[in-house]
Amino acid sequence: MSEIRDLRVLITGASSGIGKALAFEFANKGAKLAITSRSFGSLRKVADELEDTFPGIQAPLAVACDVANREKVNQLIKRCEDQLGGIDILINNAGTGVYGYSEMTALEDFRSVMEVNFFGAVHCILRVLPLLKKNGSGLIVNISSVAAMYGVPYLGAYSASKAALVALGQSLRAELAGSGVSIMNVYPGYTQTGFFEKEKNVGGAHRPPGPYVSPQRVAKTIVRAIKKEKQELILSLGGKMLALSRSFLPWLVIRVMKRIANKLRNKKEEFNE
Ligand SMILES: NC(=O)c1ccc[n+]([C@@H]2O[C@H](COP(=O)([O-])OP(=O)(O)OC[C@H]3O[C@@H](n4cnc5c(N)ncnc54)[C@H](OP(=O)(O)O)[C@@H]3O)[C@@H](O)[C@H]2O)c1
């Protein structure tokens, strides 16, 4: 995809953070946007900001949609077909988190993270893929996480949901060879967004203090990688080191993960069962 101009791009979870930054990056490159999240008010604000920043762009299509709801996703894609004439790039970015001891994570929290991070993307992919295949071109970008590359302490449910998304992307990529449709899996590291205020903390541990990278920088790198037709994009140095050591120094990864678990454990909050 060397040229982004006039491509129709649907971004889920575009009301804040990485999704919002991606919307600005794509608008800057002249794409036609459809943006979605559950809160229509926040989306409307993003759409207005986009139009103020880039006068002359086609007004972004803003549609409220919970990606965990398959029927709502079907309605969203129908709106994209009716109002944009289709979709060229789908960005599965909507996501949510649970943080803390995996064994303290309730079953419904495991399920709700899967419903958004994995099934939300599945709903979008199953509905958009036939359109892309019919066109003989298109791209699906899955915003996963470094936490998908290896089970990270206190992120059991989240890591599992993001790893599931990666695996689906890899399966699809091979199945779609020759169809003109590509899949890109993206693995961001810690990014400074509102994600951590919204996630559910089930207790026992705290997040590392940072510094975290800006969502604007993440979005720029993703769009650059789309133009270069990359299929796998690891965004942090820690992620790149993890990818290497996972294959060549697996014992080291185990040791480092144990050290991280110990460092982030809330010492006063030991739980006894
Ligand atoms: N921040 C990080 O350090 C980091 C690292 C690696 C990967 N990621 C991934 O990057 C993606 C974006 O996260 P972010 O950091 O930018 O966080 P964010 O600012 O909280 O953005 C999450 C977006 O997803 C939307 N969303 C949440 N649940 C949804 C649902 N059920 N249906 C539709 N939209 C939903 C939110 O809007 P509404 O609440 O209005 O629905 C919001 O627009 C996520 O998939 C996250 O897992 C983040």
Side-chain angles (χ1 to χ4, degrees):
M1 299 238 158
S2 53
E3 189 48 77
I4 302 285
R5 179 161 298 282
D6 290 332
L7 290 184
R8 299 155 298 183
V9 182
L10 168 60
I11 306 171
T12 71
S15 61
S16 60
I18 296 171
K20 178 178 172 183
L22 279 168
F24 273 75
E25 203 51 38
F26 276 110
N28 191 29
K29 299 263 180 294
K32 296 174 180 168
L33 288 173
I35 54 175
T36 186
S37 78
R38 290 165 303 177
S39 146
F40 185 70
S42 317
L43 273 181
R44 201 49 269 161
K45 271 195 201 149
V46 172
D48 290 344
E49 274 180 55
L50 284 164
E51 286 189 80
D52 289 345
T53 313
F54 305 104
I57 60 163
Q58 178 168 317
L61 171 62
V63 183
C65 170
D66 181 345
V67 291
N69 182 326
R70 190 175 189 186
E71 192 40 48
K72 294 279 181 219
V73 169
N74 289 342
Q75 290 168 12
L76 161 72
I77 308 302
K78 178 83 175 60
R79 291 275 303 276
C80 293
E81 287 182 278
D82 292 345
Q83 286 173 251
L84 294 183
I87 293 169
D88 299 298
I89 302 180
L90 162 66
I91 308 222
N92 286 312
N93 169 74
T96 187
V98 178
Y99 191 78
Y101 274 101
S102 301
E103 67 178 290
M104 285 162 81
T105 304
L107 191 56
E108 58 263 35
D109 293 329
F110 275 96
R111 287 195 199 284
S112 67
V113 162
M114 285 302 282
E115 285 297 341
V116 179
N117 296 0
F118 179 65
F119 286 105
V122 170
H123 294 153
C124 294
I125 289 169
L126 292 181
R127 183 62 178 75
V128 169
L129 196 48
L131 309 179
L132 304 185
K133 284 177 77 177
K134 199 168 158 205
N135 284 347
S137 69
L139 172 67
I140 296 172
V141 179
N142 294 321
I143 307 296
S144 178
S145 167
V146 165
M149 296 163 61
Y150 198 94
V152 172
Y154 312 120
L155 283 169
Y158 180 79
S159 284
S161 70
K162 291 294 189 178
L165 180 60
V166 165
L168 173 65
Q170 290 165 341
S171 298
L172 280 170
R173 185 182 291 145
E175 293 164 22
L176 290 166
S179 70
V181 180
S182 312
I183 307 283
M184 179 174 164
N185 283 332
V186 180
Y187 308 80
Y190 273 120
T191 309
Q192 192 59 57
T193 69
F195 186 86
F196 310 101
E197 285 124 54
K198 291 181 240 167
E199 74 182 354
K200 180 162 183 181
N201 193 319
V202 298
H206 55 277
R207 290 279 191 179
Y212 296 178
V213 71
S214 78
Q216 289 76 18
R217 186 159 156 204
V218 168
K220 257 193 196 347
T221 311
I222 292 173
V223 173
R224 206 180 304 131
I226 289 174
K227 290 182 82 178
K228 288 185 180 159
E229 303 189 353
K230 283 204 171 186
Q231 300 186 53
E232 295 279 306
L233 177 66
I234 302 172
L235 279 161
S236 71
L237 181 62
K240 285 173 189 162
M241 281 163 61
L242 177 58
L244 272 179
S245 39
R246 192 174 58 157
S247 306
F248 299 110
L249 301 165
W251 58 269
L252 180 64
V253 178
I254 293 171
R255 193 181 283 180
V256 169
M257 288 297 168
K258 284 181 181 171
R259 197 174 288 173
I260 292 173
N262 187 43
K263 203 169 163 196
L264 299 180
R265 183 174 297 129
N266 292 343
K267 301 287 184 288
K268 285 189 194 145
E269 211 184 302
E270 291 293 343
F271 69 103
N272 309 301
E273 286 259 342

